[in-house]
Amino acid sequence: MKNWPLWEVFIRSKNGLEHRHCGSLHASDATMALENARDVYTRRMEGVSIWVVPSAQITASNPHDSAELFDPAKDKAYRHPTFYELPDELKHM
Amino acid sequence: MNNNLIQYIYGIADNSLILGQRLGELCGHGPSLETDIAMTNISLDLFGQVRSYFQYAAKLIGGDATEDTIAFLRKEREYKNVLLVEQPNQDFAYSITRQFLFDVYHLLVLEELQNSKDETLSAIAKKSIKEVSYHTRFSSDWIRRLGDGTEESHNKIQTAINDLWIFTDELFHQTDADKAMVAEGIGVDVTLLKGTYFKKVNEILEEATLEIPTIEYFQKGGKQGIHSEHMGYLLAQMQYMQLAYPNMNW
Amino acid sequence: MSEHEVKNLEAIFDARIARDEKIEPKDWMPEKYRQTHIRQISQHAHSEIVGMLPEGNWITRAPSLKRKVALLAKIQDEAGHGLYLYSACETLGVSREELYDQLHSGKAKYSSIFNYPTLTWADMGAIGWLVDGAAIINQVPLTTTSFGPYARAMVRVCKEESFHQRQGFQIMMTLAEGTPEQKEMAQDALNRWWFPALMMLGPTDDASVHTEQSMKWKLKRKTNDELRQQFVDQTVPQAHMIGLTIPDPTLKFNEETKHYEFGELDWDEFWQVVKGHGPCNKERISARKNAWDNGKWVRDAAMAYAEKQANKEVKQAI
């Protein structure tokens, strides 16, 4: 029989914040994965909401492609507010 | 000092104490790390409840009584837990079945106990309901998995259900202290819970493709302090330090 | 890939680590880096879950309800730490089951201190105070190690572990302040755990085979001997504070170096225990193996159930 698959766990630490990846665990199905996540990752009041995703279902970018994926954004300083120099008198913009 | 109230508290709290102790034996030996952590959480919840009940009982008793003198220094006959919770961890099927058969009962009791005229008991019940709802969910899920899993697991869990079923009737017995507390609006009339209990248990067993045992003879005695042979060994371990080194702080 | 290309990649890799960049699982890494990390992280994980056993030995006998819940919660944390570390290890392409097999077959090592027996309640204090104390010294630097999943697991571990040593020290303190019998129990535990705790920080630098490479990869920030000295310097005053005696007649404070000098450690015994001849090696491994083997039908049942449920959902959808 197959081993319990791996799941990735995402926890919202309080309402208003996003779910963040906090670790992984093994479980036979989604129900168990949620229960295990509750027992393993929220023992110290770390969360108010849990997502679990089968690790095998995650499609990840390949580090080999990092240069073409992420480097082109580096020289687009005009996307950031500091690119635009304005007079100091203009306080809020 | 209201002796009936104290006895009533023992009747409820000893169940959590002895079941927590049994679960404690399993820590580090579960079928997966995740299950180990989950069952330890249940044990911790139960001990937390025990401490609240016994701190209250100690106040009622007065003098030198503490949660620990109550937990560790009574004689076997003075423990009032039901026979079900003291049954040993023969295998995972027994541990989960014991948990399930108790959780469903425990939740029904707490749901009533929160309406108790005794404010402390009502407050403890309200806090514990959340914990025990989760215990019930956890153990019911496992009953379904093992019942409708493999042939081997089905047979194992069916055997455990059949063997432990004989302890279910006792859950609904009343001691004199229980009756007195029901009359005062403090205690829960467990006799009224029996129908709902078996309806809920049977529902899960059916979902789990398990047979509901048809047994006519039930075991009883725990509520009167007449336990199974297992109890003495459980207490021998639990009380070891307090008996070997009396009157010390830890 | 040619040898030259590999050399080139390795140079880039080393430079990244030197710049304190983190390495993530899918990044290219030298095979030796991968293997070393699998070995160290899994050893660490094994130590956590084998370490549950000596303390688990006292759950049913804890002397008060308060101590019982604290001990249970601590051991439960260790299961959690094992789980985080196995997960970190799994990102390197090895499954938890394979790692278990290595542990059960005796191929993988774990911290040898857990092969000593826990004989009295005071051992719960000594383990928390000394063993967790030594572990923290080892672990805190690992929160900034180069491999991302390991570093993140260690951040979580260290955060949770902060109560463990306090829990142990408080047990010892209570015993040391208690009756003569209790104080004797505490001293006896210190006597038995002191040297194993010192040796837990690893072989002396001249006998340690992995130090140089591990330093480069930030798997180690200080040498074993430096860590040991740090542990002795911080622990001796704590023992004095609660009136216990370190079982080393040669121990003395050097006013010039401001360090404690301590006696020779029995490395023969250490290596005997590592090789499997400690008092409890067999019990520890067989307990782990039994838990795993006896749990097989449970894990199989859960998988079978999950598959049945998934099939049912598919049928309903059709």
Side-chain angles (χ1 to χ4, degrees), chain C residues 154-253:
Chain C
M154 290 318 298
V155 168
R156 191 170 269 277
V157 168
C158 288
K159 208 190 278 176
E160 296 188 351
E161 207 144 84
S162 51
F163 96 82
H164 294 186
Q165 197 192 8
R166 294 169 72 107
Q167 180 253 179
F169 186 71
Q170 204 201 38
I171 289 175
M172 286 305 250
M173 195 170 72
T174 310
L175 293 174
E177 288 168 354
T179 64
E181 213 175 352
Q182 283 175 305
K183 185 164 184 180
E184 194 187 310
M185 192 191 285
Q187 182 63 54
D188 169 63
L190 174 58
N191 294 351
R192 282 181 289 111
W193 291 94
W194 174 251
F195 287 111
L198 292 193
M199 290 193 274
M200 191 184 150
L201 292 154
T204 51
D205 292 348
D206 49 0
S208 178
V209 281
H210 303 299
T211 296
E212 199 188 329
Q213 182 69 81
S214 296
M215 287 274 191
K216 202 171 88 185
W217 287 338
K218 300 181 177 169
L219 270 171
K220 249 182 191 309
R221 289 291 167 97
K222 289 180 182 171
T223 70
N224 294 347
D225 286 335
E226 285 168 345
L227 293 172
R228 196 166 5 253
Q229 188 63 55
Q230 185 186 336
F231 176 72
V232 172
D233 289 343
Q234 100 183 20
T235 311
V236 172
Q238 293 167 354
H240 292 163
M241 196 183 111
I242 55 176
L244 294 180
T245 310
I246 300 289
D248 180 354
T250 66
L251 185 84
K252 64 170 190 285
F253 190 70

Side-chain angles (χ1 to χ4, degrees), chain A residues 4 25-26 28-29 31-32 35-36 38-40 43, chain B residues 32 34-35 37-38 41 134 137-138 141-142 145 150:
Chain A
W4 291 359
L25 48 75
H26 290 256
S28 59
D29 56 37
T31 308
M32 195 204 283
E35 292 178 1
N36 288 350
R38 177 263 191 193
D39 283 316
V40 173
R43 300 200 303 284
Chain B
S32 79
E34 286 83 352
T35 337
I37 294 172
N41 267 348
Y134 186 77
R137 172 207 289 240
F138 176 85
D141 282 346
W142 270 108
R145 284 187 196 109
T150 62

Side-chain angles (χ1 to χ4, degrees), chain C residues 85 88 94 105 137 191 193 239 251 254 301:
Chain C
L85 290 161
V94 51
S105 70
I137 285 184
N191 294 351
W193 291 94
L251 185 84
N254 183 324

Side-chain angles (χ1 to χ4, degrees), chain C residues 250-268:
Chain C
T250 66
L251 185 84
K252 64 170 190 285
F253 190 70
N254 183 324
E255 287 293 346
E256 269 169 43
T257 62
K258 300 286 174 206
H259 289 301
Y260 281 95
E261 289 167 2
F262 52 94
E264 283 289 308
L265 305 179
D266 185 353
W267 291 106
D268 285 343

